[in-house]
Amino acid sequence: MNLKSRFFKKPWQSKDADTRAEAVRDGSDAELKAELPRLAQHDEAAGVRLAALKRINSEPFWLDARLRETDPAIVDAADAYLGRAIVRGCDDGMREARLQWLAKIGDDSLVRKVAVDAEDPDLRRAALGRVDAQGFLGDCYAREADEGLAAEILARIEQHSTLERLADRLRKTRKRRAQAAATRLKELRVAAGEMDADHSAADKLVDQAESLARGQGEGNRAERLAELVEAWSALEDKPEVLARRFDGAVNIVRAALDRPAKEPGPTQESIEEPGTGAESPNPELDRAATRIRQVIRQADKRVSPAELLADWDRAWNRIGTASTADLELKSELLPLLRELQAQVEQTKAPPKDDKPKPGAELAPLLDQIAEVLESGDISRAHELIGKARSSFNALPQRERPRPVAGRLQRMEGRLKEMRDYQHWSHNKHRDELIAQIEAIPASGQHPDAISALLKQARDEWQRLEQLEVLPGDRKRFASPPGQWRRFQAACKQAFDTAKPYFEKRQEVQGENLELLDRFIAMGNEVLGAEKPDPGKLRDLMAKARAAIRRMDDLPPKARGQSAARLRELMDQIAGKQKALFDEIELVKRRLITEAKALVHEKDNKVAIERAKSLQAQWQKAGSGRRKLEQKLWEEFRAPIDPLFEQLKGEREEQKQAEREAQGELRQICEQAESLVKVDDEELDNAAGRMAGLSAEWATREGRSGKLNQRFEKAEAALEMRLAQRREQQLKADRARREQLADVVQTLATARLEDPDAELASKVPEARADDAETDRALRERALTLVGSDLSAEQLADLLARGDEQAGQIVVEMEFLAGLETPEEDRERRMDYQVQRLAQRMSERHAQPDLGTELGQLLGRWYQSLPHSPDRHAGLAKRFAAGRKIIEDMVGIGGPR
């Protein structure tokens, strides 16, 4: 954290809880997003934690918050989110946490929602275990997909009416469960004494009678009915429930037999059998048939025969092509339909003249639909068109207005166009999402940022799904399966990129947890001492506070327990500190009393010494509570300060002595500054005098910061003049050496061109200040102009120089980091291997870069002369590497 961030904190780091909460809700800072998990778990304000949880909005965080939080707002928000999350999928990793959450909630409606909608059977089982409502259990038994759980539900149903409803409701759709419900009902009735265990004969006769009422069976129905009635009369013990069922079935059969049919109904043989038929009849047709049977069986006068026939006709007309099962159902129900038709004809009354025109109520609804379509609200338009279509289809076929039908059909077409366009647009957006996710692995983003992007993409995908899948749609998902698989594959690939980081972070978090455990153990050990050190307690408290602010560095599952252990440790530290503070306060109040008693001391010297002793004891006592410490200090200083006022005279004398000493120091500074201005000829003498002044300066006391700076500035100025003179000398030496090197190379070239040429005059005169390298170069020049140098010796000398120079420039390029030409690549590789082996064997004796440069320069001058055709290239490569290395080490001249 830099200085600016310490003084200008961001809003989400504010001390005010409302400011932090608002910043967490609305902020888009990347640093804030990285801090959201810590804020959601460890911020001291419940509002801030809730805002952070809503920003993260993931099930693991909501589950963690619900299991450890007590704030009502957070609990309600967590329940609302989790109530939606559990119906979206089954996650084995979160099953235990979900079950813990379910055990804590007290909302019966939410428990029932989990029992109905949760995909995890364990969650449904746990939720059903908290529900005792028999009707609700019966509904769950009818729709439960897991057979084992369905059996458990049935074992808890004890209400006879519920079991009767289930046995009748499931008779066509789920025969095994209907049989199980009937068996359960029989067992309960036997246990309650309502029927004997041997009522199987009565049950069998009732089933046969109801089958005959449904039109099932072969042979003469009248004779079969007489046989059933005779067998029923022969029974001695007939339960009341079975008797009502038998009498109802007999009445239906008799009504069908006594009323002749007006027209022969279609038989199965007269209808062309479809090529392929469903195993069960149309669900809507089956529901209409079931309702007809129930109304006739129960003799319910509230439902008119016309209504039952209308339901049947609507269901039959919607089928289109009837299956074999549909035809069998119609043939079975035909006697009941004839009975209902006869009742309708008997009670048919002439139509009233003041009856409203059919479909009149649809016109305002269609106008409203037109406005909604114009506004583009697809969901609302879908709802209204469904309502209009239901109302229109409820009208008899002949009473349906054609204009209304045409307008409704056009609106349905318009709605389909809008939904198709919406689907096309959303698919393009989904492709863009997939492209963005596919680009994540190569983007180099932080894994936390990748995780956040994946969450945003999934939320956006879910939002598009919710916009497209409307109530009443058969499809559960709007996106094409191939597109969904691409999205899933892209998300997996992106997450795999960040997975190693998360695994490593998990490992580091585990190590941090071990460190925290050791810290808490160490803290408990310190607290276990009879009289803990106050300094150690302060350090422990500071470290504990720092640790509790970094709970996000621990594994998520261990954060709550670790925070509780840290708080417990901090409470113990605070208790120990309170006891120590009370003891310190007692000691300091005693010292205040002794300080007040110094007023009565007649000897000022003794009083001052005693005051100093009391001050030392005060410091030794340590620091107490901050709020009280300053007040006690002021009480302590009140009687002591007057004693020290009497020492002002002595202090004035000391100040005068210090002023005189400062004057002498200034004189030394002036002398040093005068040495800086001497002529160049006197610089060496000035350096010796400056050394003497420096020694004297070091022995003086009372040097102020400004005088020190002044003297050091004079020293630095003189040193700079000396350095400049040395630099000039170095430049002159370098120029002399380069001159000699050029002469050597020139003489070698001239000797090659004319072996008999007189070249001795071109050799520079020797100087007294020539270095060893300069003398060696001059000797090489004299050798080249000597008459005893043969052509073979000269050629051999140039060949050796070329070989040495080639090796030198390769080493120079290696040190400078330059590329080596292709012809010297092998030499450079050999040098690198040699250098590596040397470094491994001489690990503690490696020269620095400046030393190596000096060695290379000496070897370069020793390698002269070179062949004229190679010298220019070698010199150019050598100069380029030399310049880079000199810049690296900060030098400009030879070493």
Side-chain angles (χ1 to χ4, degrees), residues 148 175 346 465 764:
K175 294 183 178 180
Q346 289 179 358
E465 290 285 328

Side-chain angles (χ1 to χ4, degrees), residues 33 214 235 288 290 301 316 353 420 430 447 757:
K33 293 180 180 178
R214 290 193 296 268
L235 295 176
T290 302
K301 302 300 183 182
W316 183 263
D353 296 337
D420 290 343
R430 293 186 183 99

Side-chain angles (χ1 to χ4, degrees), residues 547-564:
I548 204 167
R549 287 193 294 267
R550 300 191 61 181
M551 285 291 103
D552 51 345
D553 292 344
L554 301 179
K557 294 183 179 180
R559 290 172 186 170
Q561 183 180 3
S562 299

Side-chain angles (χ1 to χ4, degrees), residues 317-595:
N317 292 331
R318 289 175 184 170
I319 293 176
T321 301
S323 65
T324 303
D326 296 335
L327 296 174
E328 292 177 354
L329 179 61
K330 182 176 181 180
S331 176
E332 174 185 336
L333 204 67
L334 195 57
L336 302 182
L337 295 175
R338 290 172 179 169
E339 173 64 21
L340 293 174
Q341 183 64 37
Q343 294 178 15
V344 169
E345 292 179 355
Q346 289 179 358
T347 59
K348 199 170 185 181
K352 297 183 180 179
D353 296 337
D354 57 349
K355 189 174 183 179
K357 187 176 180 180
E361 72 281 359
L362 291 174
L365 183 57
L366 295 180
D367 293 338
Q368 183 182 1
I369 294 172
E371 294 177 359
V372 174
L373 287 173
E374 188 66 25
S375 66
D377 190 348
I378 295 178
S379 178
R380 179 61 176 163
H382 175 78
E383 178 186 354
L384 293 177
I385 287 178
K387 181 178 179 182
R389 173 57 67 182
S390 298
S391 300
F392 182 79
N393 291 340
L395 297 174
Q397 185 72 26
R398 295 181 179 179
E399 296 180 3
R400 298 175 181 176
R402 290 187 178 182
V404 172
R407 189 179 180 189
L408 180 58
Q409 188 174 4
R410 289 192 297 274
M411 289 180 174
E412 289 174 338
R414 172 61 178 158
L415 176 63
K416 185 178 184 304
E417 290 178 0
M418 293 173 66
R419 294 192 67 180
D420 290 343
Y421 175 78
Q422 182 191 52
H423 182 64
W424 173 80
S425 175
H426 285 179
N427 282 346
K428 289 189 65 178
H429 188 23
R430 293 186 183 99
D431 288 335
E432 293 173 358
L433 286 176
I434 294 172
Q436 293 173 6
I437 296 174
E438 289 175 342
I440 287 177
S443 64
Q445 299 186 64
H446 191 274
D448 287 333
I450 293 177
S451 179
L453 288 175
L454 290 178
K455 181 183 182 304
Q456 293 174 4
R458 290 187 180 278
D459 291 343
E460 180 64 14
W461 191 284
Q462 184 64 27
R463 185 185 71 83
L464 297 179
E465 290 285 328
Q466 293 174 354
L467 288 176
E468 286 194 54
V469 180
L470 301 178
D473 288 351
R474 292 184 179 180
K475 61 181 181 181
R476 295 180 58 191
F477 306 103
S479 59
Q483 196 178 46
W484 167 248
R485 288 192 293 270
R486 285 174 52 212
F487 178 74
Q488 288 288 79
C491 289
K492 182 180 184 303
Q493 183 179 4
F495 180 77
D496 289 343
T497 305
K499 188 176 180 180
Y501 169 81
F502 294 133
E503 292 175 348
K504 181 61 179 178
R505 183 166 67 180
Q506 184 178 4
E507 179 183 349
V508 172
Q509 288 175 346
E511 296 174 355
N512 292 338
L513 180 59
E514 295 179 359
L515 291 176
L516 180 63
D517 292 338
R518 289 199 292 270
F519 169 73
I520 293 176
M522 184 268 292
N524 291 327
E525 182 178 351
V526 172
L527 292 172
E530 183 177 354
K531 190 174 182 181
D533 184 5
K536 290 185 178 180
L537 290 179
R538 283 194 299 269
D539 292 343
L540 273 178
M541 180 61 80
K543 291 179 180 178
R545 288 171 177 167
I548 204 167
R549 287 193 294 267
R550 300 191 61 181
M551 285 291 103
D552 51 345
D553 292 344
L554 301 179
K557 294 183 179 180
R559 290 172 186 170
Q561 183 180 3
S562 299
R565 295 171 60 198
L566 273 175
R567 291 192 183 98
E568 181 181 359
L569 178 65
M570 291 168 67
D571 292 340
Q572 295 178 6
I573 295 173
K576 289 286 186 179
Q577 286 182 327
K578 181 180 181 302
L580 288 174
F581 287 158
D582 292 342
E583 183 178 350
I584 291 172
E585 181 181 348
L586 183 63
V587 171
K588 290 189 174 182
R589 290 193 180 279
R590 177 180 58 79
L591 294 175
I592 291 173
T593 303
E594 295 181 9

Side-chain angles (χ1 to χ4, degrees), residues 569-801:
L569 178 65
M570 291 168 67
D571 292 340
Q572 295 178 6
I573 295 173
K576 289 286 186 179
Q577 286 182 327
K578 181 180 181 302
L580 288 174
F581 287 158
D582 292 342
E583 183 178 350
I584 291 172
E585 181 181 348
L586 183 63
V587 171
K588 290 189 174 182
R589 290 193 180 279
R590 177 180 58 79
L591 294 175
I592 291 173
T593 303
E594 295 181 9
K596 290 179 179 179
L598 294 177
V599 178
H600 306 291
E601 180 62 49
K602 297 179 179 181
D603 191 343
N604 288 336
K605 186 175 181 180
V606 174
I608 290 174
E609 291 299 326
R610 181 58 182 160
K612 291 180 179 179
S613 175
L614 292 177
Q615 285 182 329
Q617 295 180 45
W618 184 279
Q619 296 297 329
K620 186 178 180 181
S623 300
R625 297 180 180 89
R626 291 183 179 180
K627 296 182 179 179
L628 188 61
E629 185 70 15
Q630 185 61 30
K631 180 180 178 181
L632 293 175
W633 174 248
E634 292 174 356
E635 292 182 18
F636 178 72
R637 292 292 303 177
I640 292 178
D641 287 343
L643 298 175
F644 291 100
E645 291 293 331
Q646 301 175 12
L647 299 177
K648 285 186 177 180
E650 297 177 4
R651 292 177 179 174
E652 288 297 330
E653 293 178 1
Q654 292 177 355
K655 288 182 179 180
Q656 180 62 30
E658 291 174 357
R659 284 192 290 268
E660 293 176 357
Q662 292 294 314
E664 296 176 359
L665 291 172
R666 280 192 291 271
Q667 291 179 0
I668 297 176
C669 289
E670 293 171 357
Q671 295 176 19
E673 290 169 347
S674 65
L675 292 176
V676 177
K677 302 176 182 178
V678 300
D679 296 334
D680 293 341
E681 294 77 7
E682 299 180 6
L683 274 178
D684 293 334
N685 187 27
R689 294 171 59 190
M690 181 62 78
L693 291 176
S694 298
E696 184 180 356
W697 181 266
T699 61
R700 294 298 183 104
E701 297 181 355
R703 302 187 302 272
S704 64
K706 290 184 177 180
L707 289 176
N708 273 328
Q709 291 178 0
R710 184 177 174 183
F711 185 80
E712 291 171 358
K713 184 177 180 181
E715 282 185 317
L718 181 60
E719 179 61 30
M720 182 179 293
R721 288 193 62 187
L722 294 171
Q724 289 174 352
R725 191 177 68 172
R726 288 193 297 270
E727 183 68 22
Q728 292 173 357
Q729 183 63 39
L730 288 174
K731 288 182 179 179
D733 294 343
R734 179 171 180 172
R736 169 70 173 171
R737 195 160 300 146
E738 293 296 334
Q739 178 193 8
L740 292 172
D742 292 340
V743 168
V744 170
Q745 185 62 36
T746 302
L747 291 175
T749 304
R751 189 67 180 267
L752 283 174
E753 294 175 354
D754 185 4
D756 300 327
E758 181 59 35
L759 304 173
S761 61
K762 296 184 179 182
V763 179
E765 294 294 333
R767 293 181 183 177
D769 58 348
D770 278 346
E772 182 180 353
T773 303
D774 300 335
R775 292 193 295 271
L777 287 172
R778 190 174 179 278
E779 290 295 330
R780 183 63 56 84
L782 292 174
T783 302
L784 291 172
V785 301
S787 59
D788 55 346
L789 181 65
S790 64
E792 291 79 6
Q793 291 175 336
L794 178 60
D796 183 61
L797 180 63
L798 293 175
R800 290 199 306 271

